[in-house]
């Protein structure tokens, strides 16, 4: 059946027996499975031309969906039983488990089950192999970060990626909504955030050292109703949308819209534009009560849109030079009884940690929130490597492992000069497949603090969905298996077997219209000669 991700638990099937979907096959949806039934009728109805009417009995067999909390493996666990005579039964420990079981059923039907209309003619036989399958995820957080700030991705792109995440049993979409290069979320109290902050005059082509420019203005943003639609669409697929509002660094787009947010005693913030280049930027928030109130008001509106338990507050790459030069910032440090600028950054994060906690939410941020002391109750997205995650887990904080050394999907996939996005060192499909999210340095109790893992894609050098597809796939399929399946140590993983299963999965991606990177390198349209990226560095060891 060549399933990806491979089931974590057990599977037994009879290769020469199968259940045949037919015009009279009915779909029975037990309590808690209604949304999965709607999804299954939509996708399988489109691909097969069958209607799957509701019912409890049919001469042409039955697909039955049910919730049974006794299914072992947590709320996302499921069982599938396929009997040639009676049909398919998908039982989940919770509604999410039923949905993941339905995703597996779709894979079992073959690549054409991923098309939107039938391609095999009216008489085509749709067979489900007879089997008994038990499955459950290794991690509860299986995430993908999409940077929509550097290059805006229209709403339909986000909705499409939610479908792609669901097809790979990934359950968190982390939207990087704000940065120096663009503010992408409507805030009704502060309209200039999108009137000004959502647009830049031009864009660097390649990374910071590139001499090339795209002289076209670039921008866009999501209305709050757009985001409500995205959140609802994700919820139907049992995916959580995690919003990120980055601070106190990566805020020049906000400062361009509201100059009073910046360090006006150091730099003339009234003339700062939305940043047109990339890289770490010195213009950061001023440590004022006004800045705190501003972002509290921003978050108040966002909490009405995003129901996620966690809210990502960034906290990364915050240069401290303006605070060192600013008399107002230095006075603030003294007033608050802080020892240095690192503690001033921690003051920002601690403030919003408490503010969110009062509203029943939890703060999560990048490694740098460890600087100056980690806010109580905060969780860490460990991106610079494993070190931040190890330190956080040992201190009793929850961790999502997403080290750039292993799962930054904007990093190049080959050393070939034809690579369209030649950033950093090479990370191949096999490298991602051999990624291990839990560091061996952690004890069993500390390892339990690793609540999940996430692959990140930053879009400085990706200005189209075709470029995004090329960088995300097929590596996101390998990452999905790492996040879902209980795999052996990296050096013991069966790479040839994964390659064999990927041969089938590429056909699924083709049916979905994903323009992934072929195994033999970029296609002619995918090559972008002249784009300048970082030089190839020596790759770190695979852990």
């Amino acid at each position: 059946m060549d399933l990806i991700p491979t089931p974590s638990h057990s599977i037994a099937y009879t290769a020469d027996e199968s259940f045949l979907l037919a015009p009279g096959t009915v779909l029975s949806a037990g309590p808690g499975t209604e949304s999965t039934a709607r999804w299954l009728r939509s996708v399988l109805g489109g691909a097969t031309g069958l209607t799957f009417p509701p019912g409890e009995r049919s001469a042409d067999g039955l697909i039955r969906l049910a919730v049974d909390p006794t299914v072992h493996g947590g709320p996302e666990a499921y069982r599938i039983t396929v009997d040639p005579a009676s049909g398919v039964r998908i039982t989940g420990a919770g509604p999410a488990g039923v949905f993941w079981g339905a995703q597996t059923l779709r894979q079992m039907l073959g690549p054409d089950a991923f098309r939107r209309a039938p391609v095999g003619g009216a008489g085509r036989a749709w067979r489900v192999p007879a089997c008994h399958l038990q499955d459950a995820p290794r991690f509860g957080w299986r995430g993908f970060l999409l940077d929509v700030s550097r290059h805006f991705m229209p709403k339909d792109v986000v909705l499409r990626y939610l479908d792609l995440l669901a097809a790979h049993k990934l359950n968190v979409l982390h939207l990087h909504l704000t940065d120096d290069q663009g503010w992408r979320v409507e805030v009704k109290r502060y309209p200039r955030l999108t009137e000004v902050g959502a647009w830049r005059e031009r864009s660097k082509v390649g990374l910071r050292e590139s001499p090339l420019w795209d002289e076209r203005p670039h921008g866009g943003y999501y209305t709050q109703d757009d985001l409500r639609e995205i959140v609802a669409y994700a919820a139907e697929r049992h995916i959580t949308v995690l919003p990120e509002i980055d601070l106190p660094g990566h805020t020049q787009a906000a400062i361009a819209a509201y100059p009073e947010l910046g360090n006006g005693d150091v730099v003339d913030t009234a003339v700062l534009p939305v940043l047109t280049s990339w890289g770490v930027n010195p213009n950061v928030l001023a440590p004022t009560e006004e800045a705190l109130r501003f972002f509290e008001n921003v978050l108040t509106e966002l909490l009405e849109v995003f129901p996620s338990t966690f809210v990502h507050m960034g906290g990364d790459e915050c240069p401290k030079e303006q605070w060192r030069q600013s008399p107002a910032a230095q006075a603030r440090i003294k007033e608050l009884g802080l020892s240095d600028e690192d503690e001033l950054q921690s003051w920002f994060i601690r403030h919003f940690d408490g503010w969110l906690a009062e509203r029943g939410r939890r703060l999560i941020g990048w490694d740098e929130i460890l600087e100056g002391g980690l806010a109580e109750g905060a969780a860490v997205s460990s991106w610079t490597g494993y070190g931040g995650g190890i330190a956080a887990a040992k201190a009793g904080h929850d961790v999502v492992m997403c080290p750039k050394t292993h799962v930054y999907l904007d990093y190049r996939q080959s050393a070939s000069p034809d690579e369209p996005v030649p950033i950093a060192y090479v990370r191949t499909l096999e490298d991602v497949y051999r990624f291990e999210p839990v560091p061996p340095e952690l004890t069993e109790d500390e390892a339990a603090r690793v609540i999940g893992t996430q692959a990140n894609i930053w879009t400085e050098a990706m200005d189209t969905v075709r470029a995004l597809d090329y960088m995300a796939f097929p590596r996101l399929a390998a990452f999905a298996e790492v996040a879902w399946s209980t795999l052996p140590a990296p050096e013991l993983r069966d790479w040839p077997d994964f390659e064999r299963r990927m041969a089938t999965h590429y056909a699924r991606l083709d049916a979905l219209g994903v323009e992934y990177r072929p195994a033999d390198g970029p296609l002619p349209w995918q090559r972008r000669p002249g784009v300048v990226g970082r030089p190839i560095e020596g790759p770190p060891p695979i852990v």
Side-chain angles (χ1 to χ4, degrees), residues 200-272:
R200 61 177 181 264
E201 293 182 353
R202 62 178 186 164
S203 304
K204 179 75 76 171
V205 176
L207 293 190
R208 195 167 204 165
E209 60 270 28
S210 170
L212 305 176
W213 290 90
D214 182 342
E215 297 293 346
R216 297 173 298 171
H218 178 83
Y221 65 93
Y222 309 104
T223 68
Q224 291 187 9
D225 281 346
D226 288 337
L227 291 168
R228 288 188 178 95
E229 179 184 357
I230 288 168
V231 167
Y233 193 84
E236 285 272 311
R237 288 147 183 78
H238 298 277
I239 296 172
T240 297
V241 182
L242 173 71
E244 181 181 355
I245 303 297
D246 208 344
L247 61 79
H250 289 286
T251 51
Q252 186 163 321
I255 296 169
Y258 292 93
E260 62 271 23
L261 295 173
N263 295 282
D265 57 346
V266 175
V267 64
D268 185 359
T269 57
V271 300
L272 285 179

Side-chain angles (χ1 to χ4, degrees), residues 366 383-384 402-412 427 455-458 475:
W366 303 110
W383 76 275
T384 57
C402 48
K404 66 177 182 178
T405 49
H406 297 74
V407 287
Y408 266 34
L409 302 186
D410 46 309
Y411 283 12
R412 69 181 76 206
R427 272 292 169 256
N456 298 341
I457 198 159
W458 304 96
R475 292 183 295 180

Side-chain angles (χ1 to χ4, degrees), residues 140-486:
W141 183 308
R142 305 179 302 280
F144 175 68
L145 178 143
L146 178 58
D147 170 17
V148 295
S149 179
R150 274 50 176 270
H151 277 104
F152 178 67
M153 297 292 166
K155 179 187 68 177
D156 284 354
V157 174
V158 179
L159 297 176
R160 174 176 176 265
Y161 259 77
L162 285 168
D163 282 330
L164 292 174
L165 298 187
H168 292 83
K169 298 187 174 72
L170 297 171
N171 68 349
V172 176
L173 173 62
H174 177 168
L175 284 180
H176 185 74
L177 291 165
T178 69
D179 215 295
D180 299 311
Q181 296 84 10
W183 184 281
R184 305 294 177 216
V185 53
E186 176 190 33
V187 180
K188 294 181 179 179
R189 183 163 181 161
Y190 300 118
R192 286 178 59 82
L193 284 173
T194 46
E195 291 171 359
V196 175
W199 309 93
R200 61 177 181 264
E201 293 182 353
R202 62 178 186 164
S203 304
K204 179 75 76 171
V205 176
L207 293 190
R208 195 167 204 165
E209 60 270 28
S210 170
L212 305 176
W213 290 90
D214 182 342
E215 297 293 346
R216 297 173 298 171
H218 178 83
Y221 65 93
Y222 309 104
T223 68
Q224 291 187 9
D225 281 346
D226 288 337
L227 291 168
R228 288 188 178 95
E229 179 184 357
I230 288 168
V231 167
Y233 193 84
E236 285 272 311
R237 288 147 183 78
H238 298 277
I239 296 172
T240 297
V241 182
L242 173 71
E244 181 181 355
I245 303 297
D246 208 344
L247 61 79
H250 289 286
T251 51
Q252 186 163 321
I255 296 169
Y258 292 93
E260 62 271 23
L261 295 173
N263 295 282
D265 57 346
V266 175
V267 64
D268 185 359
T269 57
V271 300
L272 285 179
V274 176
L275 195 64
T276 58
S277 187
W278 321 116
V280 179
N281 175 45
N283 295 301
V284 301
L285 293 181
T288 63
E289 290 296 320
E290 291 76 13
L292 295 182
R293 300 293 87 75
F294 184 96
F295 280 91
E296 287 173 358
N297 293 333
V298 167
L299 289 169
T300 296
E301 294 193 25
L302 261 63
L303 294 189
E304 295 178 358
V305 175
F306 295 96
S308 56
T309 299
F310 284 98
V311 176
H312 208 291
M313 298 303 298
D316 63 314
E317 295 179 331
C318 180
K320 315 285 193 307
E321 191 57 34
Q322 287 188 356
W323 292 345
R324 294 187 185 98
Q325 295 175 359
S326 166
Q330 291 302 309
R332 189 67 159 160
I333 290 173
K334 183 176 180 181
E335 174 191 345
L336 295 169
L338 306 177
S339 61
D340 57 20
E341 291 78 17
D342 283 345
E343 287 196 0
L344 187 59
Q345 175 170 337
S346 180
W347 168 78
F348 265 106
I349 300 301
R350 286 178 181 273
H351 174 84
F352 287 104
D353 178 62
W355 190 91
L356 288 167
E358 289 172 1
R359 289 153 181 82
R361 307 296 183 97
R362 291 185 63 188
L363 181 145
I364 185 168
W366 303 110
D367 296 16
E368 289 90 332
I369 67 173
L370 292 162
E371 296 174 7
L374 186 61
E376 185 177 355
V380 169
S381 300
S382 188
W383 76 275
T384 57
Y386 285 91
I390 291 170
K394 287 183 175 295
H397 293 269
D398 289 339
V399 177
V400 176
M401 282 293 185
C402 48
K404 66 177 182 178
T405 49
H406 297 74
V407 287
Y408 266 34
L409 302 186
D410 46 309
Y411 283 12
R412 69 181 76 206
Q413 301 176 74
S414 164
S416 167
D418 286 337
E419 280 300 295
V421 185
I423 298 173
Y425 38 76
V426 173
R427 272 292 169 256
T428 65
L429 180 65
E430 182 175 359
D431 290 334
V432 175
Y433 181 68
R434 295 192 186 280
F435 165 56
E436 172 49 48
V438 179
E441 296 91 333
L442 298 181
T443 66
E444 183 176 350
D445 288 343
E446 292 164 352
R449 287 291 184 178
V450 180
I451 60 174
T453 184
Q454 183 169 292
N456 298 341
I457 198 159
W458 304 96
T459 59
E460 289 96 331
M462 281 162 263
D463 57 356
T464 68
V465 67
R466 300 181 88 180
L468 179 63
D469 277 7
Y470 177 89
M471 297 306 292
F473 290 97
R475 292 183 295 180
L476 194 60
F479 172 79
E481 182 148 317
V482 170
W484 177 277
S485 306
T486 302

Side-chain angles (χ1 to χ4, degrees), residues 69-92:
T70 66
V71 174
H72 179 72
E76 294 184 282
Y78 67 91
R79 287 194 306 259
I80 295 180
T81 300
V82 181
D83 181 85
S86 58
V88 179
R89 184 179 183 92
I90 302 174
T91 307

